[in-house]
Amino acid sequence: MKKTLFPPPSKPAAKASALTRRGLMMGAAAGGMGAALRPAAAQADEAMPPAPDPMSDAANPAMHVSYPFYRSAGGPRAQAGIATPPQRYTMFMSFDLSTQDPRVLQVLLARWSAAIGLLMQGETVGAVEPSRPEARGLDTGEALDLGPAGLTVTIGFGPGLFRPELGLSAHRPALLEDLPVLPSDAFSPIFTGGDLSLQACAEDPQVAYHAIRDLARIAKRTGAAVTRWTQMGFGRASAGKGQVTPRNLFGFRDGTRNLREQTEFDRYVWVNDGPDWQRGGSYQVVRKIEMRIENWDNDQISDQNAVFGRHKASGAPLTGTAEFDTPDFHKTGPDGAFVIPDNAHIRMMSHEMNDGVRILRRSYNYTDGLDPVGRLDAGLLFVSYQNDPAHFIRLQRKMGTADALGEYVSHIGSGIFFTPPAPREGSYIGAEMFA
Amino acid sequence: MLRSNTSRIWGPQTALALTLVCATGAAADPAPITNGVSQIAVTLTGENGGACVLDHDSAKAGPVTFTVTNTSAPAISELELQSDNRILGEKENLAPGLPASKFTVTLDGGSYQIYCPNAAQDTVAFTVTGTAKRASGSTADLLKEGTQGYAKYVDGTVDAMLVATKRLQAAIDAGDLETAQADYAKARPFYERIESDVEGFVLPGFAPTDNAGNLDYLIDMRASNLDPDIGWHGFHAIERDLFQRQSIGSDTQKRAAELTANVTKLDALAKGLHYAPEDLANGAAGLLEEVQSGKITGEEEAFSHIDLVDFAANIEGAQQAFAFLEPGMMQIDPDLTRTINARFATVEGMLKDYRDPKALGGYVTYTPERRKADARKLSQAIQSLQEPLAQIAEKVATAG
């Protein structure tokens, strides 16, 4: 029995016996970016084993979902893991380059791409138990038999990758540079930066962890990169299309007004200019945001609602009755003050109050246990994608100065990366830089 | 043609592969020769579950260059040329989209196999006709010479350890704390250079699980792993007396005499040991594990803080073991050999910064502050050496 760090996702046991892995995977291929959650009773495989334990991983349809890594003709250009409906768990890791040789980096990107292509199909990276007694299997094995579990791994390039010593300066995406110092930055150096990033997301934490572990081994084996910082996350804290809006660790729904439609992604997320190899890419901002959990938990409910500008249980804006009601930022109460206060989080971050600026949020909750003085050490691994980092910067300048939520959070980690488009089969991410 | 030579011993896998090759009608004409070198193009494709396709399945005896291109097989990252399951040459890091890579070997007439792990059809037959003279000894011969050289290195190291231990004992018997501390630091590196070769020794008459007869326990046990039935013996018990208690007592003298006796036993047992090539490879990998688990953390020398002395000795021992395999490894996988050499050079370069001729053992003290500042950097460099080094045991164990 595998160990799960967090409560396992709910399992629709009634449907389980009607599912076959093959049917689901074929469904995924046909459905492109869409999840392949369709009962496969009609295509039940004759060789199907007896119905599994309804509480087992095998009976959980989410474990059988797979997404394509490679770009297909006419398919989306972007890497998976951005527009993909957020999976339940993430494992993020950033790396420092440890080579000055562009060929070594080239090998790393090609081997990472090949390995990710396998992992996203639920396959191992080579044999787990090689036949030769002296062999050391590359794949560490802990995800064997768990299935693809909706795994996506998204590769990001940090500003430091485009260094002159590697001869890559000319390829730097136009807007990729270190984030400026922003109000309320309180970084710990052990949670910042990186020349490369890997964002693994999956419906199972062990599958996400395993992917990063294998890929970190490849980084060390090629000698191209060494680990820098990492964060595991759970309880997807940003809604994707068709998903019930999840909650962050403040107990509030997060992502009610997130980007969902293709037209919105085209306008706000994907890079549409520059060299061809960058089009369909995006800028990834990662922030480790610590929450002052104890203070928050002891704040009165009316104040909590005022901090967000929403009702805690329903998610409705304070000016409405249902979650998706459009907030009325002009409505005033009997005292003449705005019903959604001046410094409420949803007002400060709304596109109405930011000249239409919007970003895709794809965050996860995290916990690191207890801090040195015995407080719950937890927060949000904030991940956003945008076609211009200035959009994040604009929002964060407000967040760090005037947002009521600022009293309860501290940005302790940060990184910025460019996520190039997905490669075609037979190629790898970033290949165009080495052509 | 030797292709139908059935008198050779084929593994079932190989026999199956040969059948498949015949069935699919691979080209039977010998490879073209350019500048006296036969040229074979190998393509790795993702079709049919992954395949390893040769443009010619035979060549004339002599030098043969294999040019390997991975067009679309993400699962195939390496290729080996084998003869009866012995590796003659190989290429790694063969991911789709990378430029073609080559390796050249001189082959005598006979049957060979191209082995591509993780391909659906992972073994493809390859035939060489005629005879060729090999300029140097076989890879197996080179590796064997290496193991003999390494055995002498181990013998010499244990001899030197005995001399250094006796010197330490003399200083302790004389009650000279300062000299004893210096001699402790001088004695330590010998064991650390070869500990992965000698740590399995059990004295005659003792069960393998009885620490009373386990020489590694008696010589090198740290405070954190004591067996209460046996008590604390060896270097680190002496280290505690010399560096924490800072006094030499009759108990210290007893420990020093006992250490000399046990090292004398070790010296006798180490004499005449024979090593297989994979023993050197696994030993080197084991020494790096020691660095990672004991030295980076500062656990090994908890009282004297000469962890960097042990660190350097572990690296030196691993580097020596690798150096004795290097001539053979250069024939099997020159790229990997160069990579490992470069990583050793990185680690050695890093260690140079810590040298201090005035310090005990020649390296600066590994204080908690230094550990906090530098452990990450040191560990990362070791990790980047561990991964490729751990790959060589399999190669040398199966080298032809």
Side-chain angles (χ1 to χ4, degrees):
Chain A
M1 188 65 194
K2 79 188 177 59
K3 290 185 183 125
T4 45
L5 292 176
F6 308 107
S10 62
K11 299 171 176 75
K15 282 186 184 174
S17 60
L19 293 165
T20 69
R21 173 176 164 161
R22 198 164 135 247
L24 284 162
M25 289 179 63
M26 290 169 72
M33 295 292 283
L37 281 172
R38 59 194 177 96
Q43 27 180 301
D45 198 324
E46 281 174 11
M48 197 180 135
D53 165 8
M55 295 299 281
S56 67
D57 288 322
N60 177 0
M63 301 300 281
H64 303 275
V65 173
S66 69
Y67 297 103
F69 169 69
Y70 292 103
R71 190 202 310 178
S72 57
R77 291 176 64 92
Q79 287 186 70
I82 303 172
T84 309
Q87 302 93 321
R88 291 174 193 273
Y89 302 95
T90 194
M91 177 81 185
F92 171 85
M93 190 175 276
S94 90
F95 295 83
D96 287 329
L97 269 186
S98 56
T99 182
Q100 304 284 9
D101 182 349
R103 287 169 303 178
V104 174
L105 174 63
Q106 187 182 9
V107 166
L108 173 68
L109 294 173
R111 291 213 56 194
W112 265 2
S113 298
I116 292 168
L118 296 168
L119 291 164
M120 283 175 59
Q121 299 310 308
E123 292 170 31
T124 60
V125 185
V128 167
E129 187 177 349
S131 53
R132 291 182 190 140
E134 305 83 4
R136 276 82 167 162
L138 173 62
D139 193 287
T140 52
E142 72 271 28
L144 200 60
D145 306 326
L146 286 179
L151 176 72
T152 58
V153 183
T154 312
I155 298 180
F157 295 169
L161 196 75
F162 301 91
R163 57 185 67 173
E165 298 93 311
L166 287 166
L168 298 178
S169 311
H171 296 286
R172 177 196 293 266
L175 305 177
L176 184 66
E177 45 190 66
D178 288 325
L179 290 170
V181 175
L182 293 167
S184 301
D185 280 357
F187 298 149
S188 165
I190 60 172
F191 303 129
T192 57
D195 300 320
L196 291 156
S197 73
L198 292 175
Q199 171 203 271
C201 300
E203 300 295 343
D204 181 282
Q206 185 141 318
V207 169
Y209 182 83
H210 166 259
I212 295 296
R213 185 172 169 199
D214 273 4
L215 296 168
R217 285 197 79 185
I218 293 173
K220 290 167 197 169
R221 203 173 265 201
T222 59
V226 295
T227 54
R228 184 176 174 92
W229 68 282
T230 189
Q231 188 64 54
M232 193 158 205
F234 61 96
R236 57 176 168 236
S238 300
K241 189 173 183 178
Q243 292 181 333
V244 173
T245 317
R247 294 177 187 271
N248 57 37
L249 294 183
F250 286 134
F252 276 76
R253 290 196 188 279
D254 200 327
T256 299
R257 307 189 83 198
N258 210 359
L259 304 179
R260 285 180 173 77
E261 302 304 326
Q262 182 66 49
T263 50
E264 295 173 334
F265 277 83
D266 289 342
R267 185 164 169 200
Y268 300 108
V269 178
W270 309 131
V271 169
N272 296 315
D273 52 11
D276 183 70
W277 78 271
Q278 294 175 10
R279 293 185 192 184
S282 190
Y283 292 93
Q284 175 194 57
V285 171
V286 182
R287 308 279 280 190
K288 182 167 180 172
I289 305 177
E290 185 183 77
M291 292 177 170
R292 301 195 179 101
I293 299 272
E294 283 80 3
N295 290 0
W296 176 260
D297 291 349
N298 291 300
D299 188 30
Q300 62 181 1
I301 186 63
S302 57
D303 191 62
Q304 289 192 350
N305 286 352
V307 165
F308 273 93
R310 290 188 181 278
H311 288 285
K312 193 172 187 178
S314 66
L318 296 181
T319 55
T321 53
E323 183 195 347
F324 291 99
D325 289 350
T326 302
D328 180 352
F329 294 117
H330 304 290
K331 188 173 178 182
T332 52
D335 59 354
F338 287 128
V339 174
I340 296 173
D342 290 300
N343 59 355
H345 182 59
I346 63 163
R347 173 190 293 276
M348 300 299 285
M349 297 298 108
S350 69
H351 52 270
E352 291 90 338
M353 301 295 156
N354 289 286
D355 298 330
V357 161
R358 301 183 71 176
I359 59 176
L360 173 71
R361 284 163 292 152
R362 212 174 179 289
S363 309
Y364 287 86
N365 302 321
Y366 78 82
T367 174
D368 287 343
L370 296 176
D371 74 9
V373 297
R375 294 174 299 205
L376 293 179
D377 187 352
L380 186 74
L381 181 69
F382 171 94
V383 181
S384 71
Y385 290 92
Q386 48 273 305
N387 53 21
D388 185 347
H391 298 166
F392 166 80
I393 292 167
R394 175 187 172 128
L395 295 174
Q396 180 53 27
R397 278 195 207 286
K398 276 177 94 168
M399 172 94 188
T401 47
D403 193 311
L405 200 49
E407 188 184 339
Y408 295 97
V409 298
S410 180
H411 284 235
I412 60 171
S414 180
I416 181 167
F417 306 90
F418 176 74
T419 54
R424 293 185 191 285
E425 264 184 78
S427 188
Y428 59 94
I429 292 207
E432 297 82 351
M433 295 193 296
F434 305 95
Chain B
M1 292 284 284
L2 290 174
R3 236 175 85 182
S4 58
N5 180 353
T6 50
S7 64
R8 294 189 74 100
I9 301 158
W10 295 81
Q13 210 175 34
T14 315
L16 175 67
L18 184 61
T19 314
L20 286 169
V21 167
C22 295
T24 53
D29 55 323
I33 296 174
T34 307
N35 297 329
V37 182
S38 293
Q39 304 290 329
I40 305 281
V42 187
T43 307
L44 313 179
T45 80
E47 286 158 36
N48 306 319
C52 191
V53 182
L54 276 60
D55 67 340
H56 296 88
D57 63 359
S58 72
K60 289 208 160 69
V64 182
T65 294
F66 294 87
T67 303
V68 190
T69 312
N70 187 335
T71 58
S72 58
I76 307 175
S77 65
E78 58 184 310
L79 172 148
E80 294 173 0
L81 172 71
Q82 300 182 349
S83 172
D84 288 338
N85 295 319
R86 311 295 291 176
I87 305 173
L88 304 174
E90 73 169 275
K91 209 71 203 169
E92 291 168 331
N93 287 321
L94 299 168
L98 288 176
S101 55
K102 300 179 180 198
F103 68 99
T104 302
V105 280
T106 297
L107 298 177
D108 204 352
S111 299
Y112 298 85
Q113 302 83 43
I114 300 290
Y115 173 57
C116 300
N118 306 313
Q121 178 196 319
D122 64 5
T123 309
V124 179
F126 178 71
T127 308
V128 175
T129 57
T131 52
K133 281 213 164 139
R134 308 266 321 236
S136 58
S138 74
T139 305
D141 291 340
L142 290 171
L143 291 171
K144 193 175 170 194
E145 282 168 31
T147 61
Q148 289 160 350
Y150 182 70
K152 285 185 192 138
Y153 168 75
V154 176
D155 283 352
T157 304
V158 186
D159 287 347
M161 177 171 19
L162 184 55
V163 172
T165 308
K166 284 178 175 164
R167 198 170 290 155
L168 170 64
Q169 188 194 353
I172 288 173
D173 285 345
D176 182 346
L177 182 66
E178 199 180 331
T179 305
Q181 287 179 338
D183 286 344
Y184 172 82
K186 284 179 190 159
R188 288 294 296 150
F190 300 109
Y191 195 73
E192 295 295 318
R193 280 173 204 153
I194 52 143
E195 65 176 309
S196 53
D197 297 312
V198 297
E199 65 190 1
F201 290 145
V202 176
L203 293 174
F206 288 89
T209 52
D210 184 354
N211 283 324
N214 179 329
L215 272 182
D216 183 53
Y217 182 93
L218 297 172
I219 291 173
D220 198 36
M221 191 43 56
R222 302 193 293 255
S224 53
N225 287 328
L226 290 187
D227 179 341
D229 294 341
I230 313 300
W232 203 1
H233 306 260
F235 275 119
H236 294 299
I238 293 171
E239 182 201 1
R240 186 262 323 263
D241 294 351
L242 298 180
F243 292 91
Q244 189 190 47
R245 200 173 78 189
Q246 304 232 350
S247 73
I248 293 170
S250 60
D251 55 343
T252 318
Q253 289 168 342
K254 193 177 150 218
R255 289 187 186 106
E258 190 186 58
L259 178 64
T260 301
N262 284 326
V263 172
T264 305
K265 288 177 196 167
L266 182 74
D267 193 31
L269 285 167
K271 286 271 179 296
L273 276 184
H274 294 283
Y275 299 89
E278 57 270 31
D279 295 336
L280 276 61
N282 287 327
L287 290 175
L288 296 185
E289 285 172 23
E290 289 282 334
V291 175
Q292 202 66 269
S293 61
K295 279 71 178 188
I296 300 272
T297 56
E299 271 177 64
E300 181 79 35
E301 302 285 356
F303 309 107
S304 64
H305 302 302
I306 60 161
D307 302 272
L308 290 171
V309 177
D310 296 359
F311 187 136
N314 282 157
I315 296 298
E316 185 189 317
Q319 203 277 332
Q320 282 293 322
F322 178 70
F324 281 110
L325 295 175
E326 192 177 338
M329 275 298 298
M330 275 305 280
Q331 300 222 347
I332 305 166
D333 193 336
D335 287 350
L336 180 65
T337 309
R338 281 188 280 267
T339 297
I340 292 171
N341 272 326
R343 306 274 169 87
F344 268 120
T346 301
V347 173
E348 283 162 4
M350 209 173 262
L351 278 170
K352 260 187 201 146
D353 296 341
Y354 298 98
R355 280 203 194 142
D356 178 1
K358 294 190 294 291
L360 278 186
Y363 284 87
V364 296
T365 330
Y366 196 51
T367 57
E369 296 73 35
R370 195 180 306 282
R371 188 170 76 228
K372 202 171 170 208
D374 294 2
R376 181 186 177 94
K377 176 182 77 177
L378 292 166
S379 174
Q380 298 273 30
I382 295 297
Q383 289 174 46
S384 294
L385 173 58
Q386 265 182 307
E387 283 284 350
L389 191 74
Q391 291 175 268
I392 65 175
E394 178 186 3
K395 298 174 195 301
V396 296
T398 47

